[in-house]
Amino acid sequence: MTKIAVIGGGQIGEALTGGLIASGFDGQDIVVTNRQAERREEFEETYKVKTTDNNQEAVKGADVVFVCVKPYAIVDMLAEINDSLAKNAVVVSMAAAITLDKLEGAVGAQVSVVRSMPNTPMLVRNGMNIVVPGENVTSEQLDTVKELLSTVGKVLEVTEDKMDVAAALAGSGPAYYFLVTEALIDAGVNLGLTREQASELANSTAAGAGQLLVESEQNASSLRYGVSSPGGTTVAALRELEESGIRGAFYRAIDKCVERTRSMN
Ligand SMILES: NC(=O)c1ccc[n+]([C@@H]2O[C@H](COP(=O)([O-])OP(=O)(O)OC[C@H]3O[C@@H](n4cnc5c(N)ncnc54)[C@H](OP(=O)(O)O)[C@@H]3O)[C@@H](O)[C@H]2O)c1
């Protein structure tokens, strides 16, 4: 049975723990760390996992160590747990914008490290996790990491040169869809819908369109053609969006997101 350590039981650490438990992993094979006693109790009660505030103890004997602390804390955290890692352990960093080079530098040359980037739909087990394996990672370790992450959504492996762009689409992506949804709600309210009505319409439409994109055999363009009757109402709305520069805005937004990530590396 795979032994798992989750270092930093915050939002992402909890989402992962919840996904693992819901998929049938035994809580006694998972140890979660947090500095707050109250938070540790919450994990024990809700997920029946082991907890500790001692990160070094937590990683002893763990096959997979998910490090879910904030990016500014990850290098120090890796240095803290380094000597306690099991020989065959694989360390998975969930920290945004921290390169494999930095991660591997912090744990030492022999350790297997996977750089991963989740997104917040992971909280409802519908996330998109991007993974980049470091050079010491065996195919067996990578398969295990992918299997564990797939309890909270989809997993896509990329090479590190693609990570920043992939993260700009999926890691930051939920924010773009939330912004579009907010704008639709305000537009509906502007024309007389109550905020509740507009929210229900926009939220359910976002969820339904998302599900259709993933489940249908058609790509985004064909799905859009399907709701764009010639000379119709939707085409009139789409023309307005195109003339307002929505496509160019997304090209520029993704450029900016990648540029910002690279300035932080
Ligand atoms: N949320 C997202 O949308 C998202 C998306 C992609 C990637 N990520 C990445 O996921 C990681 C976690 O983000 P998050 O949103 O889950 O942050 P978070 O909710 O703040 O969780 C971080 C957790 O780590 C704990 N922690 C910090 N230092 C610790 C230590 N020395 N020992 C034990 N626990 C410690 C914190 O506990 P304390 O309360 O004690 O500080 C907190 O519970 C980040 O690196 C972030 O870049 C997040």
Side-chain angles (χ1 to χ4, degrees):
M1 195 41 92
T2 308
K3 299 273 182 198
I4 301 160
V6 177
I7 307 299
Q11 248 203 132
I12 293 293
E14 180 164 9
L16 181 62
T17 305
L20 292 168
I21 295 296
S23 303
F25 281 84
D26 184 344
Q28 291 308 296
D29 290 324
I30 302 173
V31 54
V32 180
T33 73
N34 198 274
R35 292 177 290 197
Q36 330 277 339
E38 222 173 87
R39 187 79 179 129
R40 293 198 299 276
E41 274 165 34
E42 261 175 50
F43 270 93
E44 284 175 20
E45 277 168 26
T46 313
Y47 305 107
K48 315 290 179 231
V49 291
K50 296 181 186 168
T51 69
T52 173
D53 61 354
N54 186 328
N55 298 306
Q56 292 169 334
E57 279 302 315
V59 303
K60 277 185 189 153
D63 303 298
V64 185
V65 177
F66 289 99
V67 187
C68 306
V69 300
K70 289 288 188 194
Y72 69 82
I74 195 149
V75 168
D76 287 348
M77 178 60 76
L78 293 177
E80 181 184 333
I81 61 174
N82 190 15
D83 289 341
S84 309
L85 290 168
K87 234 179 164 184
N88 64 338
V90 53
V91 175
V92 185
S93 158
M94 309 293 265
I98 309 290
T99 59
L100 266 179
D101 208 35
K102 277 197 188 145
L103 298 167
E104 288 175 336
V107 284
Q110 309 308 317
V111 179
S112 301
V113 180
V114 174
R115 178 180 170 193
S116 164
M117 177 71 186
N119 67 9
T120 52
M122 176 176 171
L123 302 173
V124 291
R125 297 189 196 125
N126 203 1
M128 183 69 241
N129 242 294
I130 310 156
V131 293
V132 183
E135 59 180 33
N136 298 327
V137 178
T138 64
S139 58
E140 199 184 359
Q141 285 176 323
L142 186 59
D143 286 347
T144 303
V145 169
K146 286 180 176 173
E147 184 199 333
L148 298 179
L149 289 174
S150 69
T151 64
V152 284
K154 295 211 157 38
V155 181
L156 179 75
E157 181 186 341
V158 297
T159 49
E160 196 167 37
D161 57 323
K162 301 247 167 57
M163 179 53 137
D164 297 340
V165 182
L169 259 65
S172 304
Y176 318 146
Y177 290 101
F178 297 147
L179 180 69
V180 168
T181 305
E182 266 185 86
L184 274 176
I185 293 169
D186 285 339
V189 170
N190 181 48
L191 291 178
L193 294 177
T194 66
R195 193 155 286 280
E196 291 68 29
Q197 289 169 330
S199 301
E200 191 174 345
L201 292 164
N203 295 350
S204 303
T205 303
Q211 197 174 346
L212 197 55
L213 274 169
V214 173
E215 289 182 10
S216 140
E217 308 261 293
Q218 299 178 60
N219 62 28
S221 305
S222 339
L223 288 169
R224 186 169 60 78
Y225 298 160
V227 284
S228 308
S229 315
T233 52
T234 306
V235 152
L238 290 171
R239 175 181 168 171
E240 194 58 43
L241 287 170
E242 294 282 15
E243 287 186 1
S244 303
I246 189 166
R247 234 174 249 266
F250 274 108
Y251 276 94
R252 290 189 299 278
I254 300 302
D255 278 353
K256 281 287 168 199
C257 189
V258 170
E259 197 181 300
R260 179 80 184 111
T261 304
R262 290 185 178 156
S263 76
M264 291 159 78
N265 286 339

